[in-house]
Amino acid sequence: MKVLYTFALVFLLQLAASAQTYIFTHDDTLRGSITKERAWWDLQFYHLNVRVQPQDSTLNGSVTVRYKVLQPYQTLQIDLQRPMNISRVTQDGQTLSFRRDGNAFFIDLVKKQEAQKQESLVIEYSGRPHVAKRAPWDGGFSWKKDKDGLPFVATSCQGLGASVWWPCKDHMYDEPDSMRISVTVPKPLMDVSNGRLRSITENPDGTRTFDWYVQNPINNYGVNVNIGNYVAWTDTLNGEKGTLDLSFYALAENLDKAKTQFQQTKPMLRAFEHWFGPYPFYEDSYKLVEVPYLGMEHQSSVTYGNGYKNGYLGRDLSATGWGLKWDFIIIHESGHEWYANNITYKDQADMWIHESFTNYSENLYTEYYYGKEAGSDYVIGCRKLIRNDKPIIGTYNVNRSGSGDMYYKGGNMLHTIRQIINNDEKWRGILRGMNKTFYHQTVTTQQIEDYISNEAGINLSKVFDQYLRDIRIPVLEYRIEKKKLSYRWNNVVEGFDMPVKYKAENGEWKTLKPTTEWKSIKVKKSSALDVDRGFYIEVKKLASAS
């Protein structure tokens, strides 16, 4: 059996299996909706203090939750998935009662909760967390060993949720303003988490505690622990906001390869700052960390397991050759620092905001270093991976994403919109402006759609409807008879009127403005209609109507 599957095949087959009728459960609603037990309090700060024990794959620790009361209420929801368990909850030193409902815990607060007041509670927990079967798609804890037999451990939990391994408010709409992460591991191991390392404490029991601090808002699944016998080195980038500190972590056995491959980091950051604006987390630095799975976009702690090869595990997803010019995981997962970690979806149904823009970042990186035509070749080459199996937008309020087409179809949708706007500087300004306007915010699809339409000065609502909410590829039908070109849209949503560029007989690029009704223009020749390949559509020549 072949070992190396493409990113598309693995991920999309998984989603295809889940495309069958799914019956949402009570757990799905508790996890995916803003319940009354969540809505009344604003999360401000976590201190996650956890001891990781590789010898028996268990955790124990505590989480301090600091919050602001938005409106008085006396029951608070915290999420922690089976088989993990909460043992004790206290507020101001007083032990509180709580009950479990599936993967959610409901805590009864004794102290009167008053609007605008800041409060905190401490949650103690322990257990053996879910073991990742195929990280990062089926996430959880990955318990591996390096070539010397030492533990090599990491977390990955997008979609599955951070509550698979620590108690939290596990909904994307509310992020802490800052976070402290304290991880205790056996010597000689090191933990690498998000933000900056503040201290290392040598404990008398043969363990060490690594204390990290995140100054910026962070989404739950972006929080990670990476544990191994790491070798570390540093560098800096003279970036748009000044000096950006860079740190790299690899197993000793891979040090030489890592020092070569990780040199792609600085060119990547330069390209993405050009397209998207300043790296969003200068205060927390940028880290690239080797892990025992493919990789993930953990905020300021991007994880890497691509085998120190260019492409995706050595393969070019676009089959154009351009995908072998750079390391897929370094480029793609780092692109998420802007789209996922800076701009974050509120509901998992809108996961396209993360994946479509980050898929398109691969194209933009290629363009930055190899030219516009190369970038276009790459994104267009990925069209063969599009399934058109179900809508890109998922189901709201139940923690459910849509089709895996959010990657390649989503990237091609954005490339299509770029052609519609037909002004590369305006397009770049939209991408940069988006990261400034929604800086460190959680957003909805509607906000992103409205922003792009408003900044472009074009109503793109039907374009978004077609590509995000429908599975059909627009078909531009045309016929040429008696020096008249007739054309219209078919296979589209009602009111679809996307303009397209075509090459006129004199070789100039001009614009057609089709609707679902037939239109016509005069032509001199009856040659085939040459439409700009940047548009993700099908073009179909019909026989003469006579």
Side-chain angles (χ1 to χ4, degrees), residues 191-241:
D191 169 68
V192 183
S193 291
N194 314 80
R196 292 184 184 267
L197 183 62
R198 285 190 164 180
S199 65
I200 304 173
T201 303
E202 301 286 339
N203 303 314
D205 62 354
T207 64
R208 294 190 292 184
T209 301
F210 293 80
D211 197 66
W212 299 84
Y213 193 81
V214 181
Q215 292 189 47
N216 292 294
I218 184 169
N219 64 58
N220 285 334
Y221 82 81
V223 176
N224 70 343
V225 299
N226 307 291
I227 300 164
N229 190 24
Y230 286 119
V231 178
W233 67 101
T234 62
D235 200 347
T236 58
L237 175 79
N238 183 19
E240 287 197 13
K241 283 181 67 175

Side-chain angles (χ1 to χ4, degrees), residues 385-451:
L385 303 173
I386 298 172
R387 298 177 62 89
N388 287 309
D389 58 342
K390 62 177 181 175
I392 287 175
I393 290 181
T395 307
Y396 290 97
N397 301 317
V398 286
N399 195 51
R400 189 76 169 179
S401 60
S403 170
D405 279 350
M406 68 181 77
Y407 291 84
Y408 309 106
K409 185 176 180 181
N412 273 281
M413 174 190 73
L414 295 174
H415 194 59
T416 297
I417 290 172
R418 180 181 182 178
Q419 312 316 309
I420 297 170
I421 294 172
N422 199 26
N423 182 323
D424 287 345
E425 278 308 302
K426 177 178 279 192
W427 177 238
R428 178 176 168 236
I430 288 172
L431 297 175
R432 290 176 63 91
M434 189 183 309
N435 276 279
K436 184 177 180 180
T437 299
F438 301 114
Y439 184 71
H440 292 175
Q441 293 182 31
T442 60
V443 300
T444 64
T445 284
Q446 197 60 56
Q447 286 177 280
I448 298 301
E449 289 186 25
D450 290 347
Y451 179 85

Side-chain angles (χ1 to χ4, degrees), residues 14 35 77 81 96-97 176 204 245 271 291 298 391 463 484 516 526:
Q14 176 187 346
T35 63
Q77 179 180 339
Q81 297 179 35
L96 304 178
S97 62
D245 294 325
V291 291
H298 303 111
V463 175
K484 183 175 74 171
T516 54
S526 59

Side-chain angles (χ1 to χ4, degrees), residues 317-382:
L317 298 181
S318 73
T320 63
W322 295 115
L324 292 177
K325 298 290 187 181
W326 39 268
D327 189 307
F328 179 91
I329 292 299
I330 294 175
I331 304 308
H332 179 91
E333 302 305 344
S334 298
H336 276 305
E337 292 280 46
W338 285 264
Y339 291 97
N341 299 335
N342 185 39
I343 302 175
T344 308
Y345 59 69
K346 280 184 175 167
D347 191 296
Q348 188 164 318
D350 290 335
M351 189 174 170
W352 77 273
I353 297 169
H354 294 196
E355 300 301 348
S356 297
F357 283 96
T358 305
N359 172 269
Y360 195 55
S361 77
E362 302 162 26
N363 155 284
L364 296 176
Y365 175 88
T366 304
E367 176 175 333
Y368 186 83
Y369 286 105
Y370 303 104
K372 188 173 180 179
E373 195 72 11
S376 295
D377 286 347
Y378 180 83
V379 70
I380 292 168
C382 288

